[in-house]
């Protein structure tokens, strides 16, 4: 629940908005921040016109825009180009500032808006070259029809910009920017829309961080220890998405009904901790990790917890007799939300106007990404395929080494324009694998300087460079897939559309009005020569190159499986022992997916049926799976300290749910955090630990016993807290699971400190963690354990993604919202993620939720994290957040009659 207020009654919304405006104006007039420049007219100037009529260039006929009380638009047009032209206009009305920032992210041009502080980020993004690849897609790959839609969308955006010549009329943030630089808004282009898919692919890029971390761990841990920290996927405990089927050797295609045998080659490659750059001494890949941290700060953290839930249940198990489909993607919280709800409707669906679709899309992109049309519904979760590889490169003044010969770099110059400063020039160098990302940091000029490699490796000289190969850096057709899915009518046309959904690789679930359910795993997934993608590969050996991609026809899928339901929650797609190609070795570990499977099975046993409300309840299930393993042991610890014993008693009778008001959940999660810190965190290298986390450790290059000549040194963590380790996700559940059965282990051994006793056994370490957690929560929540609650620790603050994170304090206060006290937690179905190495703050969330009632579409329900509007003081800025925090859903009107009944504002766009 929110810690500030609960949602006001609808009739008070207008008054609440006026009060917010008044507060803003009073603050500004009083001379705080930008007070001399902002006022009521500045704030209101950017609010969209949602009633009456507007003339729009290039429209061929009238278009209606019907908005409900939450500002969600449903657009009605007579032809497809008018439909997408209107979509561009409407999204620009509500979200253009967000769109403008996004296109500057993808183009590596943030410095033009925000100045010197963004130069390094721009340099890294220019090195990746997202915008250049998007331009290549548009010029060389996309069909004329898709280009027509993208152009129509851009025309709609630019029609809005033409009607709003002053930046402050577009968004209040521009009023702030114009005080500090002479920023000028440029027209929108079709490539601006295409490029945003690259940013989403970056969020969902796979195991790049794991690849770096395995190498960094070698400075403190041996190969066996590193292997323990990256356990194999627990197939016996957590079923994969597809539990049967195989590639038929006679047809070369995946057959869901084929009997799987043992596959050869699916898991070949180095064992983690034995490949190039993976064992021995300190690797300077930490510098690359620091560079990567600057980009997730804009787009959201990347890691094991980022994913999604989706599942579909066949009609034989539902109260409606038709399939039910649920989806809630987990992403970093943003204000406004990443998602934008809307409907796109041809007034008369025909061969020349084929769209009647509603759901969630991205501001800045035409079409609908997740949702339903009149025949099918679909959802997405991150497949988690390993589509990135880092290569160590032996570089010299003339090029890089491959098979004993020097090849020249492919080079280009980039000019970064800086608001209020001089232009910066950078040179981007690329190898056959991809851009040389090590060029973007002075530290990275010697990356791999001490990374151990095989005896056949070339002399490292001043160090190896690091290049990045990534499927998103090649032109593709994902934009085509979006439009094709929007108009698909059955599983065959859905799969045909999915062929082009290349990047980011997603799990697609499906249901239709004929009662069918299905699953497809699409994506451009590489086949490697040598290596398994878990550690940086030797770029000088061509046998490690990619050998093409897994054909779409061989990727796993399901259609009406006998079990009657399909669950995807970032678990393994299929058992790698029976599948001939390596998808990844770094799946999510399946805690969420198995919990959903168990909930469905428990509900449908003995003839039970699942209702739409049951689906919603499952989405908000907040049970802690690690608590089921750890809590019974904690209750057996003999605690003598009365204050710690008082906290321990909170765990007695606890049902493992993580409600916002739960004191037990607060204490347990604090204990879990401290168990991880004592057993693992303090033993990790500084490059993985959170900033400010300091421990006394043996020097990396020390030999012999600790003595006067070889003293312990103070070493502080260097990683952003949102991406530090151990993060406490379900990978760590699998690390700890076997250890809990061992009274003694090297992981339970700690040296102690000034106030802590050394530990040698499991129970000693658990007792110390309980003590540390008690005093940590005393400092944070007070001495009285009866006042503790998980929600007071586990808070969500929604931050404007630019000025709300780095602007003046008063501006942050005016643009940001919260905090909300939340339940849920890491690896729970209600995945309000937090990083145990960094603290309890919510860092990723179910960014939206939907439950689709297939066939009876108007009984479907949905919610967004924030609201439709990106305007800070508009009624629809965060009007859905209170309901989202409670786990509620809103009615989702789709049919013409239901939309008319829900309509509050009607706007007509005329030629």
């Amino acid at each position: 629940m929110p810690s500030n207020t609960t949602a006001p009654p609808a009739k008070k919304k207008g008054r609440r908005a006026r009060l917010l405006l008044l507060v803003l104006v009073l603050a500004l007039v009083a001379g705080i921040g930008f007070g001399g420049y902002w006022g009521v007219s500045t704030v209101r100037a950017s609010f969209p016109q949602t009633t009456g009529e507007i003339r729009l260039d290039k429209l061929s006929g009238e278009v209606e825009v019907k908005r409900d009380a939450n500002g969600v638009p449903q657009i009605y047009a007579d032809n497809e180009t008018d439909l997408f032209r209107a979509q561009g206009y409407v999204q620009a009305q509500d979200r253009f500032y967000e769109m403008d920032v996004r296109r500057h992210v993808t183009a590596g041009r943030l410095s033009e808006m925000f100045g010197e502080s963004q130069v390094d980020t721009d340099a890294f993004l220019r090195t990746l070259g997202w915008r250049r690849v998007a331009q290549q897609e548009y010029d060389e790959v996309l069909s004329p029809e898709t280009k027509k839609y993208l152009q129509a969308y851009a025309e709609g955006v630019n029609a809005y910009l033409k009607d709003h010549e002053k930046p402050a009329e577009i968004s209040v943030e521009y009023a702030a920017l114009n005080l500090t630089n002479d920023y000028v808004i440029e027209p929108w282009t079709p490539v601006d829309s295409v490029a945003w898919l690259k940013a989403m692919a970056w969020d969902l890029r796979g195991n790049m961080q794991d690849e770096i971390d395995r190498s960094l761990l070698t400075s403190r841990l041996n190969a066996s220890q590193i292997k323990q920290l990256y356990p194999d996927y627990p197939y016996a405990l957590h079923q994969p998405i597809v539990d049967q089927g195989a590639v038929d050797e006679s047809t070369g295609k995946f057959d869901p009904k084929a009997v799987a045998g043992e596959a050869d080659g699916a898991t070949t490659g180095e064992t983690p901790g034995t490949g190039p750059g993976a064992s021995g001494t300190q690797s300077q890949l930490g510098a690359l990790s620091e560079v990567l941290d600057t980009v997730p700060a804009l787009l959201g953290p990347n890691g094991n917890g980022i994913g999604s839930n989706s599942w579909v249940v066949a009609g034989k198990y539902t109260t409606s007799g038709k399939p039910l489909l649920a989806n809630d993607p987990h992403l970093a919280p943003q204000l406004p939300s990443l998602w934008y709800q809307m409907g796109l409707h041809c007034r008369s669906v025909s061969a020349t106007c084929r769209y009647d679709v509603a759901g969630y899309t991205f501001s800045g992109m035409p079409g609908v990404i997740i949702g339903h049309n009149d025949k099918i519904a679909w959802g997405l979760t991150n497949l988690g395929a390993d589509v990135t590889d880092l290569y160590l490169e032996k570089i010299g003044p003339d090029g890089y080494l491959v098979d004993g010969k020097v090849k020249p770099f492919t080079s280009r110059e980039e000019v970064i324009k800086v608001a209020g400063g001089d232009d910066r020039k950078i040179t981007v160098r690329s190898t056959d694998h991809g851009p040389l990302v090590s060029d973007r940091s002075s530290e990275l000029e010697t990356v791999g300087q001490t990374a151990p490699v095989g005896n056949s490796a070339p002399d490292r000289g001043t160090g190896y460079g690091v290049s990045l190969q990534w499927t998103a850096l090649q032109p593709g057709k994902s934009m085509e897939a979006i439009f094709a899915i929007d108009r698909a009518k059955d599983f065959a046309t859905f799969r045909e559309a999915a062929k082009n959904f290349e990047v980011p690789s997603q799990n697609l679930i499906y249901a239709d009005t004929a009662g069918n359910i299905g699953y497809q795993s699409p994506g451009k997934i590489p086949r490697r020569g040598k290596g398994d993608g878990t550690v940086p590969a030797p770029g000088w050996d061509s046998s490690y190159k990619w050998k093409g991609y897994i054909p779409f026809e061989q990727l796993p899928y399901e259609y009406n499986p006998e079990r009657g339901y399909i669950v995807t929650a970032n678990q393994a797609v299929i058992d790698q022992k029976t599948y001939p190609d390596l998808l990844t070795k770094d799946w999510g570990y399946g805690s969420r997916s198995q919990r959903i499977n168990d909930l469905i099975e428990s509900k449908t046993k003995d003839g039970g049926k699942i209702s739409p409300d049951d689906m919603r309840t499952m989405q908000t299930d907040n049970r802690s799976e690690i608590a089921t393993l750890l809590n019974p042991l904690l209750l057996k610890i003999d605690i003598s300290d009365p204050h710690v014993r008082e906290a321990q008693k909170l765990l007695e009778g606890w049902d493992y749910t993580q409600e916002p008001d739960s004191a037990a959940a607060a204490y347990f999660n604090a204990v879990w955090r401290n168990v991880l810190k004592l057993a693992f965190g303090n033993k990790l290298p500084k490059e993985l630990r959170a900033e400010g986390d300091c421990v006394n450790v043996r020097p990396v290059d020390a030999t012999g016993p600790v003595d006067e000549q070889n003293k312990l040194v103070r070493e502080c963590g260097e990683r952003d807290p949102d991406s530090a380790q151990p993060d406490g996700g379900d990978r760590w559940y699998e690390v700890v699971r076997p250890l809990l059965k061992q009274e003694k282990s090297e992981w339970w051994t700690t040296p102690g400190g000034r106030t802590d006793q050394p530990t040698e056994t499991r129970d000693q370490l658990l007792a110390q963690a309980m003590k540390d957690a008690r005093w940590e929560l005393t400092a944070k929540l007070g001495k009285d354990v009866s006042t503790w609650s998980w929600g007071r620790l586990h808070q969500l603050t929604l931050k404007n993604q630019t000025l709300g994170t780095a602007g003046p304090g008063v501006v942050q206060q005016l643009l940001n919202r919260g905090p909300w006290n939340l339940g849920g937690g890491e690896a729970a179905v209600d995945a309000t993620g937090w990083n145990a190495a960094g603290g309890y703050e919510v860092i990723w969330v179910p960014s939206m939720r939907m439950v689709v009632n297939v066939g009876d579409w108007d009984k479907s329900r949905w919610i967004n994290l924030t609201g439709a509007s990106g305007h800070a003081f508009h009624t629809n800025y965060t009007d859905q957040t209170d309901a989202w925090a409670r786990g509620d859903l809103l009615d989702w009107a789709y049919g013409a009659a239901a939309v008319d009944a829900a309509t509050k504002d009607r706007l007509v766009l005329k030629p």
Side-chain angles (χ1 to χ4, degrees), residues 115-260:
E116 184 83 19
S117 66
Q118 298 303 313
V119 169
D120 289 344
T121 299
D122 281 346
F124 184 73
L125 293 168
R126 296 285 185 99
T127 299
L128 295 180
W130 292 348
R131 172 74 187 205
R132 297 178 77 256
V133 179
Q135 185 71 58
Q136 191 177 355
E137 286 182 5
Y138 186 78
D139 293 341
E140 303 173 9
V141 177
L142 297 181
S143 67
E145 181 179 69
T146 295
K147 289 182 181 180
K148 179 178 69 175
Y149 295 157
L150 289 163
Q151 186 60 48
Y153 181 91
E155 289 168 357
V157 175
N158 291 329
Y160 171 77
L161 295 177
K162 181 181 176 182
D163 291 342
H164 299 77
E165 296 181 355
K166 296 179 181 179
E169 295 175 350
I170 297 174
S171 182
V172 73
E173 287 93 336
Y174 288 117
L177 288 178
N178 282 343
L179 299 178
T180 58
N181 63 59
D182 55 357
Y183 176 72
V184 176
I185 298 172
E186 297 177 355
W188 192 263
T189 73
V191 180
D192 292 332
S193 295
V194 177
W196 186 243
L197 282 174
K198 305 301 177 188
M200 289 308 301
W202 179 257
D203 259 9
L204 305 171
R205 63 191 178 273
N207 76 335
M208 188 195 304
Q209 193 67 63
D210 289 324
E211 200 172 328
I212 294 169
D213 288 356
R214 284 187 178 97
S215 295
L216 293 172
L217 286 168
T218 62
S219 68
R220 293 286 178 197
L221 305 177
N222 61 40
S224 175
Q225 291 168 326
I226 294 171
K227 171 66 175 173
Q228 283 183 278
L229 300 189
Y230 288 89
D232 293 334
Y233 184 86
Y235 290 101
L237 293 173
H238 300 156
Q239 71 184 60
I241 298 171
V242 176
D243 60 2
Q244 63 180 35
V247 175
D248 187 319
E249 292 184 4
S250 64
T251 64
K253 297 180 179 181
F254 187 86
D255 181 355
K257 298 186 183 303
V259 177

Side-chain angles (χ1 to χ4, degrees), residues 447-510:
V447 71
Q449 189 172 25
T450 58
V453 290
N455 293 332
S456 62
D459 178 69
R460 72 178 76 249
T462 58
Y464 300 125
V466 179
S467 62
L468 169 65
Q469 187 162 15
W470 178 31
T471 55
L473 300 185
Q474 303 160 24
K477 295 183 177 181
S478 294
M479 199 74 233
E480 303 264 344
I482 292 167
F483 294 116
I485 289 174
D486 283 357
R487 57 179 186 258
K489 297 301 181 185
D490 53 32
F491 194 57
T493 53
F494 180 76
R495 289 193 72 212
E496 187 65 28
K499 282 184 181 180
N500 288 328
F501 208 126
E502 297 172 331
V503 176
S505 186
Q506 298 288 287
N507 296 307
L508 298 177
I509 61 164
Y510 167 94

